[in-house]
Amino acid sequence: MIKPIELVIFDCDGVLVDSERIAVRVQVALGAELGWPLTEEEVIDRFIGRSSTSIREQVSARLGDETSALWWDRFEQLHAEAVDAGLAPVEGLPEALDAITLPTCVASSGSHEKMRHTLGRTGLYARFAGRIHSAAEVARGKPAPDLFLHAARRMGVDPAACAVVEDSRPGVEAARAAGMRAFGYAGGLTPAERLEGAGTVVFHDMRELPPLLAAAA
């Protein structure tokens, strides 16, 4: 028997804040600068939805540890500058949050420092303060289920009663691996077909989310 939804777990980048386009643009520029030319599609496939550890490991394997450290330092600097220059919530997200009555939290591949910056810049931090979880707190990042299971445990909710809102393939795979229902937001950079799978509802507009959650609950 399917349990009613008791908790909605939101990814951050690309789900709450429209930051994935910034990240892709910066990663493409760094690749060109540091010796690993990447297309936007390759960055989305390799990096989006994954932890900083995973990204650094990929860059290390390609360019060495020293360049990987430089890459990440430059990424954090350039990403922060771009966020300050103009970052907004995902379109329709504030209205969706206003309409969702279930408990919510955040579980992101990003660091707490990064989320304080992006969520703070967009006025969303106060909505989730005290209920924000980072991949830095677990052994394995997405697509492993560790982060979502950690968030459910911290929130005191059975994983089977959790719904995850994600915009990346590693994210929906992690939700499914955790035994949670996945809601794949295809209004961002990841095509809908890469989000589809068992136990996953794919949608294109954040304003669709509240009725979808209500129907699944």
Side-chain angles (χ1 to χ4, degrees):
M1 184 175 179
I2 298 176
K3 290 194 171 190
I5 295 173
E6 298 176 18
L7 175 68
V8 183
I9 303 174
F10 285 92
D11 177 41
C12 183
D13 295 302
V15 170
L16 298 178
V17 294
D18 195 15
S19 54
E20 295 292 40
R21 289 177 178 83
I22 293 173
V24 169
R25 186 171 69 246
V26 171
Q27 296 286 23
V28 168
L30 286 173
E33 175 187 334
L34 297 176
W36 187 7
L38 291 162
T39 66
E40 290 189 356
E41 291 73 20
E42 287 171 328
V43 169
I44 292 167
D45 186 55
R46 288 178 173 274
F47 296 164
I48 294 302
R50 299 187 185 275
S51 67
S52 59
T53 299
S54 172
I55 296 170
R56 291 181 69 157
E57 286 173 350
Q58 291 184 61
V59 178
S60 289
R62 181 81 178 214
L63 301 175
D65 292 346
E66 184 175 339
T67 301
S68 177
L70 173 61
W71 182 304
W72 194 253
D73 287 345
R74 293 273 290 136
F75 174 78
E76 290 189 324
Q77 173 195 351
L78 294 172
H79 186 275
E81 290 173 357
V83 165
D84 285 340
L87 178 66
V90 165
E91 185 178 355
L93 186 278
E95 300 96 306
L97 290 178
D98 288 342
I100 293 169
T101 58
L102 292 162
T104 60
C105 71
V106 177
S108 172
S109 295
S111 66
H112 280 286
E113 181 180 12
K114 181 182 176 185
M115 286 186 279
R116 276 193 296 271
H117 187 209
T118 57
L119 294 175
R121 182 68 178 77
T122 52
L124 294 172
Y125 189 82
R127 286 185 182 254
F128 296 101
R131 308 188 316 281
I132 298 174
H133 313 284
S134 166
E137 300 165 29
V138 297
R140 301 177 299 169
K142 307 167 191 177
D146 302 31
L147 175 58
F148 292 140
L149 293 173
H150 170 70
R153 185 166 56 249
R154 290 285 302 272
M155 297 294 292
V157 177
D158 186 334
C162 294
V164 174
V165 186
E166 266 285 356
D167 71 316
S168 72
R169 185 179 182 90
V172 293
E173 289 176 347
R176 292 194 286 259
M180 301 177 180
R181 278 164 279 189
F183 290 78
Y185 173 60
L189 297 178
T190 303
E193 59 268 21
R194 289 186 60 78
L195 300 173
E196 293 169 351
T200 304
V201 174
V202 177
F203 66 105
H204 293 80
D205 188 316
M206 275 297 168
R207 287 166 286 244
E208 300 172 36
L209 182 60
L212 289 173
L213 288 170

